[in-house]
Amino acid sequence: MGHSSSEHFPVVILGAGPAGSGTALALARQGIRHLLVDKAVFPRDKICGDALSGKVVQVLRNLDPEWINELASNQSEFVGSYGVRFVSPGGHAVDIPFSSNLASLKHPPGFLSRRLHFDAWLLKKLDATYTTFRQGWEAKSLRVTPEQAEITFHQDGQEHVVTADVVVGADGDRSLVNRELNTRTIDPGHYCAGIRAYYRNVQGLHADHFIELHFLKEFLPGYLWIFPMANGMANVGVGMLSSEVSRRRIDLKAMMQHAIRQHPELHARFAHAELEGDVRGWGLPLGSVRRKLSGNRMMLTGDAASLIDPFTGEGIGNAMLSGEVAAGILHKAFAQGEFDSTSLAAYDAEIYRRLWPEIRLSRRMQQLSRQAWLFDLVVRKAKKNPTLRETITCMFEDIDLRDRFRSPSFYFKLLFQ
């Protein structure tokens, strides 16, 4: 194998998905030069639910408010999503808007887009003044000393060595940086198995592109989703706790196919649907337990930091938020010239200050979803009660309101009022 000369960057980011690109975009706003590296060559597909939540919209707005208008105008790759349809185990359905005043919104509260398109769009926004982007480079080893981080890459038979003051692991579930920081063990109780497929001609999709979460009894604690995409496509998939998949010896692909062919709420909608491509699977490291997110000259963002929401399975929003937070912490670190574990521990503290109340609630909601009768009760009541529907809508915007779902008194009132 050939060898190239060594280079140095203040920051090296491994992985150019939303966590890595989000970190790069935020670092550029801070005026910090960095190298962004990915082993893939873009555009590339990524197995995902393809939903861009309000948290993604907020981070993009912080970077450049005009970008949201750009997404909204590109309807061939991005469609605005205005709410969610919950379908309970008993077949009761309720539509919940993402905002209590949709008519006043200047842009959609959320979007749906293939990762093939969204990730490529993010990369086009990189600022070449501060970002050096290299694709097709695979990180093979990482060595961290008190003085620097050293990463060895392989690319087309060449070996490249890059040193950095800090390395940010945005390289997903099998993160090289995470292996250096933590002993990587998969806890099936805090890990989700997911599969995804694209279908054309699924009937009955919502006119305002509400995402659909079907909490079928056979998938609890988990759900089947149907997300409307651009050009008449739909992202269809299933997510379930790995511990349940293992305990019940479930074949998720076979179970999903059975559901869309036989389930009374679904079979007519998929009668003329056409599968495009393969049904593909992946793993999701859930954020339901606290993990070490930084160390000496190292930080983790996105899936590498196991920040996926335990209830919804959504990861892009937390990935981009973690990149934004990482850039802010790094700005302070470079101002002080300190990159040791004590200094960078401020990143862990800030991530969990901002995300842990939400993640903890989602973990509780995941546990409650095992109770099919309770889920049926909430959905039935919400369908009949406009005030409850509006309360749930407000929960998308206010974590304190969402916290009501953790209180036993909330369910007592549902039962007896």
Side-chain angles (χ1 to χ4, degrees):
M1 177 173 288
H3 185 78
S4 69
S5 59
S6 178
E7 298 176 278
H8 180 84
F9 288 85
V11 180
V12 171
I13 307 167
L14 303 183
S21 295
T23 305
L25 291 166
L27 282 175
R29 296 298 187 276
Q30 302 284 4
I32 298 173
R33 194 170 63 90
H34 53 276
L35 173 67
L36 177 65
V37 186
D38 201 292
K39 65 180 180 181
V41 176
F42 290 75
R44 60 94 175 92
D45 188 25
K46 185 74 173 180
I47 310 171
C48 182
D50 295 336
L52 309 179
S53 67
K55 197 177 292 181
V56 176
V57 172
Q58 183 58 54
V59 172
L60 291 176
R61 187 190 292 117
N62 294 343
L63 291 165
D64 189 333
E66 183 55 36
W67 288 356
I68 308 303
N69 296 327
E70 187 177 321
L71 291 185
S73 65
N74 183 3
Q75 296 183 18
S76 66
E77 295 181 353
F78 299 87
V79 297
S81 180
Y82 290 86
V84 57
R85 172 173 292 169
F86 290 104
V87 182
S88 74
H92 307 285
V94 62
D95 289 348
I96 305 294
F98 287 142
S99 171
S100 56
N101 193 2
L102 291 177
S104 68
L105 297 180
K106 297 180 180 179
H107 56 72
F111 291 90
L112 295 158
S113 173
R114 291 193 186 205
R115 288 287 300 278
L116 177 77
H117 298 140
F118 180 59
D119 290 9
W121 181 87
L122 282 175
L123 292 174
K124 290 178 182 177
K125 299 301 179 184
L126 296 178
D127 184 343
T129 302
Y130 298 101
T131 307
T132 299
F133 176 45
R134 291 179 181 152
Q135 49 191 328
W137 281 37
E138 184 174 4
K140 302 299 288 188
S141 66
L142 168 65
R143 186 171 70 92
V144 180
T145 69
E147 292 74 32
Q148 66 180 14
E150 181 181 285
I151 311 98
T152 301
F153 298 93
H154 289 176
Q155 182 260 341
D156 289 343
Q158 296 291 313
E159 183 176 277
H160 306 271
V161 178
V162 179
T163 59
D165 296 308
V166 179
V167 58
V168 176
D171 43 346
D173 178 35
R174 300 178 181 180
S175 167
L176 179 66
V177 183
N178 189 31
R179 290 205 300 269
E180 186 75 17
L181 264 176
N182 301 298
T183 301
R184 183 183 184 270
T185 57
I186 294 178
D187 183 343
H190 300 278
Y191 201 85
C192 182
I195 58 171
R196 179 220 69 186
Y198 288 114
Y199 281 88
R200 187 177 296 280
N201 298 326
V202 177
Q203 301 301 303
L205 299 177
H206 197 284
D208 286 327
H209 299 103
F210 279 36
I211 64 175
E212 301 179 33
L213 307 181
H214 295 257
F215 291 85
L216 308 181
K217 290 181 180 179
E218 58 265 38
F219 293 121
L220 296 179
Y223 61 83
L224 180 147
W225 71 77
I226 303 174
F227 292 174
M229 309 295 291
N231 304 312
M233 299 294 292
N235 181 315
V236 181
V238 167
M240 183 185 288
L241 268 179
S242 295
S243 56
E244 287 295 306
V245 173
S246 177
R247 183 179 70 84
R248 292 157 54 186
R249 299 181 180 179
I250 291 172
D251 181 335
L252 281 184
K253 292 183 180 180
M255 186 178 284
M256 186 179 83
Q257 293 299 318
H258 181 268
I260 64 179
R261 290 172 184 158
Q262 304 294 332
H263 195 278
E265 303 294 328
L266 298 174
H267 75 90
R269 298 180 60 189
F270 282 83
H272 303 290
E274 303 169 6
L275 175 65
E276 293 210 352
D278 299 324
V279 180
R280 301 178 63 188
W282 82 110
L284 298 88
L286 304 178
S288 43
V289 289
R290 287 177 180 253
R291 294 173 172 85
K292 188 177 181 181
L293 306 182
S294 67
N296 180 45
R297 299 185 180 273
M298 293 179 287
M299 305 171 80
L300 297 172
T301 60
D303 288 7
S306 299
L307 294 178
I308 292 175
D309 187 282
F311 181 60
T312 67
E314 197 266 337
I316 301 176
N318 286 350
M320 296 202 67
L321 177 64
S322 66
E324 182 179 65
V325 172
I329 297 298
L330 285 172
H331 182 259
K332 295 177 183 178
F334 278 99
Q336 298 168 355
E338 296 178 351
F339 313 104
D340 60 12
S341 58
T342 302
S343 300
L344 296 184
Y347 171 69
D348 302 54
E350 182 64 8
I351 284 291
Y352 284 121
R353 183 188 73 81
R354 296 181 64 172
L355 292 180
W356 190 246
E358 181 178 347
I359 289 174
R360 184 178 57 190
L361 172 59
S362 290
R363 173 65 169 173
R364 180 60 176 153
M365 293 296 293
Q366 178 199 64
Q367 293 167 336
L368 286 174
S369 71
R370 294 175 181 268
Q371 309 301 322
W373 69 271
L374 187 58
F375 214 115
D376 281 331
L377 170 68
V378 174
V379 172
R380 286 202 317 269
K381 292 280 187 176
K383 190 172 183 178
K384 296 177 181 178
N385 189 326
T387 302
L388 178 56
R389 290 200 301 274
E390 186 172 341
T391 299
I392 297 174
T393 292
C394 292
M395 289 175 182
F396 289 113
E397 305 165 336
D398 189 337
I399 186 63
D400 292 329
L401 282 175
R402 265 182 281 172
D403 202 48
R404 291 183 187 180
F405 273 109
R406 298 179 63 236
S407 170
S409 64
F410 176 83
Y411 301 98
F412 182 85
K413 291 175 183 178
L414 277 179
L415 281 168
F416 298 109
Q417 291 185 9

